[in-house]
Amino acid sequence: MVLRLMEMADVDDLMGIFSDPVAMRYYPNTKSRQETEEWVRRAQESYRDHGFGLWVAVLEDSGEFVGQCGLTVQEVEGKNEVEIGYLFLRRFWGRGLATEAARAARDHGYHTLGYARLISLIDPGNLASRRVAEKVGLTLEKEVEKWGKRICVYAIRKGRSAT
């Protein structure tokens, strides 16, 4: 798998995730094309403003779009944190791709960007996403109120990574 910068040309592929009510089950709602275009713009702004953002994940051999993963700034209880986020097309679930991508994002956050702490914000019911976070070495720290519901905050400090 290869992770690359997100481009406006990725909107159609991203709609494969954002328009899927099963893939978006733990998010507030599915996204329209206009909302997906705004998502790409925000990722591009994050590259400019923070030097990181969400990336597009493609299979190395075919270049086929499989999902997105990367780092994004999230406000948690009044403090900005750097989150490892991941979301993949449903047909690629269960293949270890989210874990592979999240591990790469974690390592980039630590080794390239120098962050000592990273988090993932996960709906308590999203057991698959929670397993990915745990495989990458994050542990449940607390639950907070965000986006109008309870959200698990998983966290990891540099030096405590799983493989």
mmCIF file with all atom_site columns, all heavy atoms in Angstrom, residues 116-141:
data_model
loop_
_atom_site.group_PDB
_atom_site.id
_atom_site.type_symbol
_atom_site.label_atom_id
_atom_site.label_alt_id
_atom_site.label_comp_id
_atom_site.label_asym_id
_atom_site.label_entity_id
_atom_site.label_seq_id
_atom_site.pdbx_PDB_ins_code
_atom_site.Cartn_x
_atom_site.Cartn_y
_atom_site.Cartn_z
_atom_site.occupancy
_atom_site.B_iso_or_equiv
_atom_site.pdbx_formal_charge
_atom_site.auth_seq_id
_atom_site.auth_comp_id
_atom_site.auth_asym_id
_atom_site.auth_atom_id
_atom_site.pdbx_PDB_model_num
ATOM 1   N N   . ALA A 1 116 ? 5.299   13.638 20.430 1.00 0.00 ? 116 ALA A N   1
ATOM 2   C CA  . ALA A 1 116 ? 5.515   12.657 21.489 1.00 0.00 ? 116 ALA A CA  1
ATOM 3   C C   . ALA A 1 116 ? 4.226   11.928 21.848 1.00 0.00 ? 116 ALA A C   1
ATOM 4   O O   . ALA A 1 116 ? 4.267   10.868 22.466 1.00 0.00 ? 116 ALA A O   1
ATOM 5   C CB  . ALA A 1 116 ? 6.077   13.335 22.734 1.00 0.00 ? 116 ALA A CB  1
ATOM 6   N N   . ARG A 1 117 ? 3.081   12.496 21.466 1.00 0.00 ? 117 ARG A N   1
ATOM 7   C CA  . ARG A 1 117 ? 1.779   11.922 21.818 1.00 0.00 ? 117 ARG A CA  1
ATOM 8   C C   . ARG A 1 117 ? 0.868   12.002 20.597 1.00 0.00 ? 117 ARG A C   1
ATOM 9   O O   . ARG A 1 117 ? 0.806   13.025 19.920 1.00 0.00 ? 117 ARG A O   1
ATOM 10  C CB  . ARG A 1 117 ? 1.174   12.706 22.975 1.00 0.00 ? 117 ARG A CB  1
ATOM 11  C CG  . ARG A 1 117 ? -0.247  12.322 23.337 1.00 0.00 ? 117 ARG A CG  1
ATOM 12  C CD  . ARG A 1 117 ? -0.754  13.229 24.476 1.00 0.00 ? 117 ARG A CD  1
ATOM 13  N NE  . ARG A 1 117 ? -2.198  13.254 24.543 1.00 0.00 ? 117 ARG A NE  1
ATOM 14  C CZ  . ARG A 1 117 ? -2.940  12.382 25.202 1.00 0.00 ? 117 ARG A CZ  1
ATOM 15  N NH1 . ARG A 1 117 ? -2.369  11.394 25.859 1.00 0.00 ? 117 ARG A NH1 1
ATOM 16  N NH2 . ARG A 1 117 ? -4.261  12.481 25.219 1.00 0.00 ? 117 ARG A NH2 1
ATOM 17  N N   . LEU A 1 118 ? 0.146   10.914 20.352 1.00 0.00 ? 118 LEU A N   1
ATOM 18  C CA  . LEU A 1 118 ? -0.845  10.862 19.285 1.00 0.00 ? 118 LEU A CA  1
ATOM 19  C C   . LEU A 1 118 ? -2.108  10.224 19.849 1.00 0.00 ? 118 LEU A C   1
ATOM 20  O O   . LEU A 1 118 ? -2.034  9.434  20.796 1.00 0.00 ? 118 LEU A O   1
ATOM 21  C CB  . LEU A 1 118 ? -0.324  10.038 18.101 1.00 0.00 ? 118 LEU A CB  1
ATOM 22  C CG  . LEU A 1 118 ? 0.949   10.562 17.437 1.00 0.00 ? 118 LEU A CG  1
ATOM 23  C CD1 . LEU A 1 118 ? 1.534   9.509  16.501 1.00 0.00 ? 118 LEU A CD1 1
ATOM 24  C CD2 . LEU A 1 118 ? 0.684   11.859 16.683 1.00 0.00 ? 118 LEU A CD2 1
ATOM 25  N N   . ILE A 1 119 ? -3.248  10.544 19.261 1.00 0.00 ? 119 ILE A N   1
ATOM 26  C CA  . ILE A 1 119 ? -4.513  9.999  19.731 1.00 0.00 ? 119 ILE A CA  1
ATOM 27  C C   . ILE A 1 119 ? -5.316  9.447  18.555 1.00 0.00 ? 119 ILE A C   1
ATOM 28  O O   . ILE A 1 119 ? -4.993  9.711  17.392 1.00 0.00 ? 119 ILE A O   1
ATOM 29  C CB  . ILE A 1 119 ? -5.362  11.059 20.471 1.00 0.00 ? 119 ILE A CB  1
ATOM 30  C CG1 . ILE A 1 119 ? -5.814  12.159 19.496 1.00 0.00 ? 119 ILE A CG1 1
ATOM 31  C CG2 . ILE A 1 119 ? -4.618  11.626 21.662 1.00 0.00 ? 119 ILE A CG2 1
ATOM 32  C CD1 . ILE A 1 119 ? -6.987  12.981 19.991 1.00 0.00 ? 119 ILE A CD1 1
ATOM 33  N N   . SER A 1 120 ? -6.361  8.721  18.862 1.00 0.00 ? 120 SER A N   1
ATOM 34  C CA  . SER A 1 120 ? -7.419  8.375  17.918 1.00 0.00 ? 120 SER A CA  1
ATOM 35  C C   . SER A 1 120 ? -8.736  8.553  18.648 1.00 0.00 ? 120 SER A C   1
ATOM 36  O O   . SER A 1 120 ? -8.877  8.141  19.809 1.00 0.00 ? 120 SER A O   1
ATOM 37  C CB  . SER A 1 120 ? -7.298  6.936  17.414 1.00 0.00 ? 120 SER A CB  1
ATOM 38  O OG  . SER A 1 120 ? -6.324  6.840  16.414 1.00 0.00 ? 120 SER A OG  1
ATOM 39  N N   . LEU A 1 121 ? -9.695  9.189  17.989 1.00 0.00 ? 121 LEU A N   1
ATOM 40  C CA  . LEU A 1 121 ? -11.033 9.397  18.530 1.00 0.00 ? 121 LEU A CA  1
ATOM 41  C C   . LEU A 1 121 ? -11.959 8.379  17.869 1.00 0.00 ? 121 LEU A C   1
ATOM 42  O O   . LEU A 1 121 ? -12.093 8.376  16.647 1.00 0.00 ? 121 LEU A O   1
ATOM 43  C CB  . LEU A 1 121 ? -11.500 10.819 18.238 1.00 0.00 ? 121 LEU A CB  1
ATOM 44  C CG  . LEU A 1 121 ? -10.618 11.932 18.801 1.00 0.00 ? 121 LEU A CG  1
ATOM 45  C CD1 . LEU A 1 121 ? -11.115 13.293 18.344 1.00 0.00 ? 121 LEU A CD1 1
ATOM 46  C CD2 . LEU A 1 121 ? -10.552 11.855 20.314 1.00 0.00 ? 121 LEU A CD2 1
ATOM 47  N N   . ILE A 1 122 ? -12.577 7.528  18.690 1.00 0.00 ? 122 ILE A N   1
ATOM 48  C CA  . ILE A 1 122 ? -13.324 6.390  18.152 1.00 0.00 ? 122 ILE A CA  1
ATOM 49  C C   . ILE A 1 122 ? -14.653 6.238  18.888 1.00 0.00 ? 122 ILE A C   1
ATOM 50  O O   . ILE A 1 122 ? -14.696 6.260  20.120 1.00 0.00 ? 122 ILE A O   1
ATOM 51  C CB  . ILE A 1 122 ? -12.494 5.091  18.286 1.00 0.00 ? 122 ILE A CB  1
ATOM 52  C CG1 . ILE A 1 122 ? -11.125 5.254  17.608 1.00 0.00 ? 122 ILE A CG1 1
ATOM 53  C CG2 . ILE A 1 122 ? -13.260 3.902  17.715 1.00 0.00 ? 122 ILE A CG2 1
ATOM 54  C CD1 . ILE A 1 122 ? -10.164 4.103  17.854 1.00 0.00 ? 122 ILE A CD1 1
ATOM 55  N N   . ASP A 1 123 ? -15.704 6.041  18.116 1.00 0.00 ? 123 ASP A N   1
ATOM 56  C CA  . ASP A 1 123 ? -17.014 5.750  18.693 1.00 0.00 ? 123 ASP A CA  1
ATOM 57  C C   . ASP A 1 123 ? -16.895 4.463  19.519 1.00 0.00 ? 123 ASP A C   1
ATOM 58  O O   . ASP A 1 123 ? -16.306 3.479  19.047 1.00 0.00 ? 123 ASP A O   1
ATOM 59  C CB  . ASP A 1 123 ? -18.028 5.567  17.559 1.00 0.00 ? 123 ASP A CB  1
ATOM 60  C CG  . ASP A 1 123 ? -19.430 5.341  18.068 1.00 0.00 ? 123 ASP A CG  1
ATOM 61  O OD1 . ASP A 1 123 ? -19.707 4.250  18.632 1.00 0.00 ? 123 ASP A OD1 1
ATOM 62  O OD2 . ASP A 1 123 ? -20.264 6.243  17.892 1.00 0.00 ? 123 ASP A OD2 1
ATOM 63  N N   . PRO A 1 124 ? -17.448 4.435  20.729 1.00 0.00 ? 124 PRO A N   1
ATOM 64  C CA  . PRO A 1 124 ? -17.321 3.238  21.571 1.00 0.00 ? 124 PRO A CA  1
ATOM 65  C C   . PRO A 1 124 ? -17.822 1.957  20.905 1.00 0.00 ? 124 PRO A C   1
ATOM 66  O O   . PRO A 1 124 ? -17.307 0.872  21.191 1.00 0.00 ? 124 PRO A O   1
ATOM 67  C CB  . PRO A 1 124 ? -18.162 3.570  22.806 1.00 0.00 ? 124 PRO A CB  1
ATOM 68  C CG  . PRO A 1 124 ? -18.208 5.056  22.849 1.00 0.00 ? 124 PRO A CG  1
ATOM 69  C CD  . PRO A 1 124 ? -18.158 5.526  21.421 1.00 0.00 ? 124 PRO A CD  1
ATOM 70  N N   . GLY A 1 125 ? -18.791 2.060  20.014 1.00 0.00 ? 125 GLY A N   1
ATOM 71  C CA  . GLY A 1 125 ? -19.336 0.881  19.359 1.00 0.00 ? 125 GLY A CA  1
ATOM 72  C C   . GLY A 1 125 ? -18.526 0.380  18.177 1.00 0.00 ? 125 GLY A C   1
ATOM 73  O O   . GLY A 1 125 ? -18.790 -0.705 17.659 1.00 0.00 ? 125 GLY A O   1
ATOM 74  N N   . ASN A 1 126 ? -17.539 1.140  17.746 1.00 0.00 ? 126 ASN A N   1
ATOM 75  C CA  . ASN A 1 126 ? -16.750 0.779  16.561 1.00 0.00 ? 126 ASN A CA  1
ATOM 76  C C   . ASN A 1 126 ? -15.603 -0.152 16.975 1.00 0.00 ? 126 ASN A C   1
ATOM 77  O O   . ASN A 1 126 ? -14.448 0.253  17.077 1.00 0.00 ? 126 ASN A O   1
ATOM 78  C CB  . ASN A 1 126 ? -16.234 2.032  15.866 1.00 0.00 ? 126 ASN A CB  1
ATOM 79  C CG  . ASN A 1 126 ? -15.657 1.750  14.501 1.00 0.00 ? 126 ASN A CG  1
ATOM 80  O OD1 . ASN A 1 126 ? -15.327 0.618  14.177 1.00 0.00 ? 126 ASN A OD1 1
ATOM 81  N ND2 . ASN A 1 126 ? -15.530 2.802  13.710 1.00 0.00 ? 126 ASN A ND2 1
ATOM 82  N N   . LEU A 1 127 ? -15.945 -1.399 17.200 1.00 0.00 ? 127 LEU A N   1
ATOM 83  C CA  . LEU A 1 127 ? -14.973 -2.361 17.728 1.00 0.00 ? 127 LEU A CA  1
ATOM 84  C C   . LEU A 1 127 ? -13.814 -2.617 16.769 1.00 0.00 ? 127 LEU A C   1
ATOM 85  O O   . LEU A 1 127 ? -12.669 -2.774 17.201 1.00 0.00 ? 127 LEU A O   1
ATOM 86  C CB  . LEU A 1 127 ? -15.662 -3.671 18.091 1.00 0.00 ? 127 LEU A CB  1
ATOM 87  C CG  . LEU A 1 127 ? -16.767 -3.558 19.157 1.00 0.00 ? 127 LEU A CG  1
ATOM 88  C CD1 . LEU A 1 127 ? -17.371 -4.917 19.454 1.00 0.00 ? 127 LEU A CD1 1
ATOM 89  C CD2 . LEU A 1 127 ? -16.243 -2.894 20.421 1.00 0.00 ? 127 LEU A CD2 1
ATOM 90  N N   . ALA A 1 128 ? -14.080 -2.620 15.462 1.00 0.00 ? 128 ALA A N   1
ATOM 91  C CA  . ALA A 1 128 ? -13.007 -2.848 14.493 1.00 0.00 ? 128 ALA A CA  1
ATOM 92  C C   . ALA A 1 128 ? -11.992 -1.719 14.545 1.00 0.00 ? 128 ALA A C   1
ATOM 93  O O   . ALA A 1 128 ? -10.774 -1.954 14.542 1.00 0.00 ? 128 ALA A O   1
ATOM 94  C CB  . ALA A 1 128 ? -13.579 -2.999 13.086 1.00 0.00 ? 128 ALA A CB  1
ATOM 95  N N   . SER A 1 129 ? -12.453 -0.490 14.614 1.00 0.00 ? 129 SER A N   1
ATOM 96  C CA  . SER A 1 129 ? -11.548 0.650  14.684 1.00 0.00 ? 129 SER A CA  1
ATOM 97  C C   . SER A 1 129 ? -10.778 0.653  16.003 1.00 0.00 ? 129 SER A C   1
ATOM 98  O O   . SER A 1 129 ? -9.587  0.991  16.042 1.00 0.00 ? 129 SER A O   1
ATOM 99  C CB  . SER A 1 129 ? -12.343 1.950  14.527 1.00 0.00 ? 129 SER A CB  1
ATOM 100 O OG  . SER A 1 129 ? -11.479 3.048  14.400 1.00 0.00 ? 129 SER A OG  1
ATOM 101 N N   . ARG A 1 130 ? -11.436 0.250  17.061 1.00 0.00 ? 130 ARG A N   1
ATOM 102 C CA  . ARG A 1 130 ? -10.753 0.161  18.363 1.00 0.00 ? 130 ARG A CA  1
ATOM 103 C C   . ARG A 1 130 ? -9.645  -0.891 18.299 1.00 0.00 ? 130 ARG A C   1
ATOM 104 O O   . ARG A 1 130 ? -8.558  -0.677 18.846 1.00 0.00 ? 130 ARG A O   1
ATOM 105 C CB  . ARG A 1 130 ? -11.762 -0.162 19.464 1.00 0.00 ? 130 ARG A CB  1
ATOM 106 C CG  . ARG A 1 130 ? -12.727 1.000  19.705 1.00 0.00 ? 130 ARG A CG  1
ATOM 107 C CD  . ARG A 1 130 ? -13.804 0.674  20.698 1.00 0.00 ? 130 ARG A CD  1
ATOM 108 N NE  . ARG A 1 130 ? -13.242 0.654  22.048 1.00 0.00 ? 130 ARG A NE  1
ATOM 109 C CZ  . ARG A 1 130 ? -13.975 0.667  23.158 1.00 0.00 ? 130 ARG A CZ  1
ATOM 110 N NH1 . ARG A 1 130 ? -15.289 0.703  23.090 1.00 0.00 ? 130 ARG A NH1 1
ATOM 111 N NH2 . ARG A 1 130 ? -13.389 0.637  24.329 1.00 0.00 ? 130 ARG A NH2 1
ATOM 112 N N   . ARG A 1 131 ? -9.896  -2.009 17.616 1.00 0.00 ? 131 ARG A N   1
ATOM 113 C CA  . ARG A 1 131 ? -8.865  -3.054 17.479 1.00 0.00 ? 131 ARG A CA  1
ATOM 114 C C   . ARG A 1 131 ? -7.670  -2.529 16.682 1.00 0.00 ? 131 ARG A C   1
ATOM 115 O O   . ARG A 1 131 ? -6.520  -2.826 17.012 1.00 0.00 ? 131 ARG A O   1
ATOM 116 C CB  . ARG A 1 131 ? -9.441  -4.302 16.822 1.00 0.00 ? 131 ARG A CB  1
ATOM 117 C CG  . ARG A 1 131 ? -10.207 -5.185 17.785 1.00 0.00 ? 131 ARG A CG  1
ATOM 118 C CD  . ARG A 1 131 ? -10.515 -6.554 17.203 1.00 0.00 ? 131 ARG A CD  1
ATOM 119 N NE  . ARG A 1 131 ? -11.332 -6.497 16.002 1.00 0.00 ? 131 ARG A NE  1
ATOM 120 C CZ  . ARG A 1 131 ? -12.650 -6.436 15.976 1.00 0.00 ? 131 ARG A CZ  1
ATOM 121 N NH1 . ARG A 1 131 ? -13.328 -6.423 17.108 1.00 0.00 ? 131 ARG A NH1 1
ATOM 122 N NH2 . ARG A 1 131 ? -13.308 -6.396 14.831 1.00 0.00 ? 131 ARG A NH2 1
ATOM 123 N N   . VAL A 1 132 ? -7.931  -1.760 15.625 1.00 0.00 ? 132 VAL A N   1
ATOM 124 C CA  . VAL A 1 132 ? -6.829  -1.172 14.851 1.00 0.00 ? 132 VAL A CA  1
ATOM 125 C C   . VAL A 1 132 ? -5.983  -0.292 15.763 1.00 0.00 ? 132 VAL A C   1
ATOM 126 O O   . VAL A 1 132 ? -4.750  -0.402 15.780 1.00 0.00 ? 132 VAL A O   1
ATOM 127 C CB  . VAL A 1 132 ? -7.356  -0.376 13.641 1.00 0.00 ? 132 VAL A CB  1
ATOM 128 C CG1 . VAL A 1 132 ? -6.243  0.458  13.007 1.00 0.00 ? 132 VAL A CG1 1
ATOM 129 C CG2 . VAL A 1 132 ? -7.970  -1.311 12.611 1.00 0.00 ? 132 VAL A CG2 1
ATOM 130 N N   . ALA A 1 133 ? -6.615  0.576  16.518 1.00 0.00 ? 133 ALA A N   1
ATOM 131 C CA  . ALA A 1 133 ? -5.872  1.475  17.422 1.00 0.00 ? 133 ALA A CA  1
ATOM 132 C C   . ALA A 1 133 ? -5.012  0.663  18.392 1.00 0.00 ? 133 ALA A C   1
ATOM 133 O O   . ALA A 1 133 ? -3.835  0.991  18.618 1.00 0.00 ? 133 ALA A O   1
ATOM 134 C CB  . ALA A 1 133 ? -6.845  2.374  18.187 1.00 0.00 ? 133 ALA A CB  1
ATOM 135 N N   . GLU A 1 134 ? -5.570  -0.389 18.954 1.00 0.00 ? 134 GLU A N   1
ATOM 136 C CA  . GLU A 1 134 ? -4.827  -1.213 19.908 1.00 0.00 ? 134 GLU A CA  1
ATOM 137 C C   . GLU A 1 134 ? -3.657  -1.932 19.239 1.00 0.00 ? 134 GLU A C   1
ATOM 138 O O   . GLU A 1 134 ? -2.571  -2.026 19.826 1.00 0.00 ? 134 GLU A O   1
ATOM 139 C CB  . GLU A 1 134 ? -5.778  -2.204 20.587 1.00 0.00 ? 134 GLU A CB  1
ATOM 140 C CG  . GLU A 1 134 ? -6.745  -1.492 21.524 1.00 0.00 ? 134 GLU A CG  1
ATOM 141 C CD  . GLU A 1 134 ? -7.929  -2.330 21.961 1.00 0.00 ? 134 GLU A CD  1
ATOM 142 O OE1 . GLU A 1 134 ? -8.065  -3.494 21.504 1.00 0.00 ? 134 GLU A OE1 1
ATOM 143 O OE2 . GLU A 1 134 ? -8.735  -1.809 22.757 1.00 0.00 ? 134 GLU A OE2 1
ATOM 144 N N   . LYS A 1 135 ? -3.846  -2.419 18.014 1.00 0.00 ? 135 LYS A N   1
ATOM 145 C CA  . LYS A 1 135 ? -2.753  -3.092 17.300 1.00 0.00 ? 135 LYS A CA  1
ATOM 146 C C   . LYS A 1 135 ? -1.594  -2.145 17.032 1.00 0.00 ? 135 LYS A C   1
ATOM 147 O O   . LYS A 1 135 ? -0.443  -2.581 16.929 1.00 0.00 ? 135 LYS A O   1
ATOM 148 C CB  . LYS A 1 135 ? -3.251  -3.663 15.970 1.00 0.00 ? 135 LYS A CB  1
ATOM 149 C CG  . LYS A 1 135 ? -4.119  -4.883 16.105 1.00 0.00 ? 135 LYS A CG  1
ATOM 150 C CD  . LYS A 1 135 ? -4.602  -5.328 14.734 1.00 0.00 ? 135 LYS A CD  1
ATOM 151 C CE  . LYS A 1 135 ? -5.600  -6.443 14.830 1.00 0.00 ? 135 LYS A CE  1
ATOM 152 N NZ  . LYS A 1 135 ? -6.145  -6.790 13.506 1.00 0.00 ? 135 LYS A NZ  1
ATOM 153 N N   . VAL A 1 136 ? -1.892  -0.860 16.897 1.00 0.00 ? 136 VAL A N   1
ATOM 154 C CA  . VAL A 1 136 ? -0.870  0.145  16.617 1.00 0.00 ? 136 VAL A CA  1
ATOM 155 C C   . VAL A 1 136 ? -0.238  0.659  17.921 1.00 0.00 ? 136 VAL A C   1
ATOM 156 O O   . VAL A 1 136 ? 0.726   1.408  17.889 1.00 0.00 ? 136 VAL A O   1
ATOM 157 C CB  . VAL A 1 136 ? -1.495  1.273  15.776 1.00 0.00 ? 136 VAL A CB  1
ATOM 158 C CG1 . VAL A 1 136 ? -0.561  2.420  15.538 1.00 0.00 ? 136 VAL A CG1 1
ATOM 159 C CG2 . VAL A 1 136 ? -1.969  0.720  14.439 1.00 0.00 ? 136 VAL A CG2 1
ATOM 160 N N   . GLY A 1 137 ? -0.775  0.213  19.073 1.00 0.00 ? 137 GLY A N   1
ATOM 161 C CA  . GLY A 1 137 ? -0.179  0.546  20.356 1.00 0.00 ? 137 GLY A CA  1
ATOM 162 C C   . GLY A 1 137 ? -0.924  1.589  21.165 1.00 0.00 ? 137 GLY A C   1
ATOM 163 O O   . GLY A 1 137 ? -0.482  1.961  22.255 1.00 0.00 ? 137 GLY A O   1
ATOM 164 N N   . LEU A 1 138 ? -2.051  2.079  20.678 1.00 0.00 ? 138 LEU A N   1
ATOM 165 C CA  . LEU A 1 138 ? -2.831  3.043  21.437 1.00 0.00 ? 138 LEU A CA  1
ATOM 166 C C   . LEU A 1 138 ? -3.651  2.315  22.490 1.00 0.00 ? 138 LEU A C   1
ATOM 167 O O   . LEU A 1 138 ? -4.072  1.167  22.285 1.00 0.00 ? 138 LEU A O   1
ATOM 168 C CB  . LEU A 1 138 ? -3.761  3.842  20.519 1.00 0.00 ? 138 LEU A CB  1
ATOM 169 C CG  . LEU A 1 138 ? -3.069  4.876  19.636 1.00 0.00 ? 138 LEU A CG  1
ATOM 170 C CD1 . LEU A 1 138 ? -2.611  4.269  18.330 1.00 0.00 ? 138 LEU A CD1 1
ATOM 171 C CD2 . LEU A 1 138 ? -3.983  6.058  19.362 1.00 0.00 ? 138 LEU A CD2 1
ATOM 172 N N   . THR A 1 139 ? -3.877  2.974  23.609 1.00 0.00 ? 139 THR A N   1
ATOM 173 C CA  . THR A 1 139 ? -4.695  2.406  24.667 1.00 0.00 ? 139 THR A CA  1
ATOM 174 C C   . THR A 1 139 ? -5.794  3.397  25.034 1.00 0.00 ? 139 THR A C   1
ATOM 175 O O   . THR A 1 139 ? -5.632  4.607  24.903 1.00 0.00 ? 139 THR A O   1
ATOM 176 C CB  . THR A 1 139 ? -3.865  2.072  25.923 1.00 0.00 ? 139 THR A CB  1
ATOM 177 O OG1 . THR A 1 139 ? -3.186  3.248  26.364 1.00 0.00 ? 139 THR A OG1 1
ATOM 178 C CG2 . THR A 1 139 ? -2.844  0.977  25.640 1.00 0.00 ? 139 THR A CG2 1
ATOM 179 N N   . LEU A 1 140 ? -6.906  2.853  25.505 1.00 0.00 ? 140 LEU A N   1
ATOM 180 C CA  . LEU A 1 140 ? -8.037  3.681  25.897 1.00 0.00 ? 140 LEU A CA  1
ATOM 181 C C   . LEU A 1 140 ? -7.629  4.536  27.090 1.00 0.00 ? 140 LEU A C   1
ATOM 182 O O   . LEU A 1 140 ? -7.206  4.023  28.124 1.00 0.00 ? 140 LEU A O   1
ATOM 183 C CB  . LEU A 1 140 ? -9.246  2.805  26.250 1.00 0.00 ? 140 LEU A CB  1
ATOM 184 C CG  . LEU A 1 140 ? -10.493 3.550  26.694 1.00 0.00 ? 140 LEU A CG  1
ATOM 185 C CD1 . LEU A 1 140 ? -11.006 4.479  25.594 1.00 0.00 ? 140 LEU A CD1 1
ATOM 186 C CD2 . LEU A 1 140 ? -11.571 2.550  27.103 1.00 0.00 ? 140 LEU A CD2 1
ATOM 187 N N   . GLU A 1 141 ? -7.741  5.847  26.917 1.00 0.00 ? 141 GLU A N   1
ATOM 188 C CA  . GLU A 1 141 ? -7.371  6.787  27.973 1.00 0.00 ? 141 GLU A CA  1
ATOM 189 C C   . GLU A 1 141 ? -8.597  7.288  28.735 1.00 0.00 ? 141 GLU A C   1
ATOM 190 O O   . GLU A 1 141 ? -8.587  7.383  29.956 1.00 0.00 ? 141 GLU A O   1
ATOM 191 C CB  . GLU A 1 141 ? -6.628  7.967  27.341 1.00 0.00 ? 141 GLU A CB  1
ATOM 192 C CG  . GLU A 1 141 ? -6.106  8.981  28.314 1.00 0.00 ? 141 GLU A CG  1
ATOM 193 C CD  . GLU A 1 141 ? -5.308  10.051 27.607 1.00 0.00 ? 141 GLU A CD  1
ATOM 194 O OE1 . GLU A 1 141 ? -5.914  11.046 27.164 1.00 0.00 ? 141 GLU A OE1 1
ATOM 195 O OE2 . GLU A 1 141 ? -4.079  9.882  27.493 1.00 0.00 ? 141 GLU A OE2 1
#
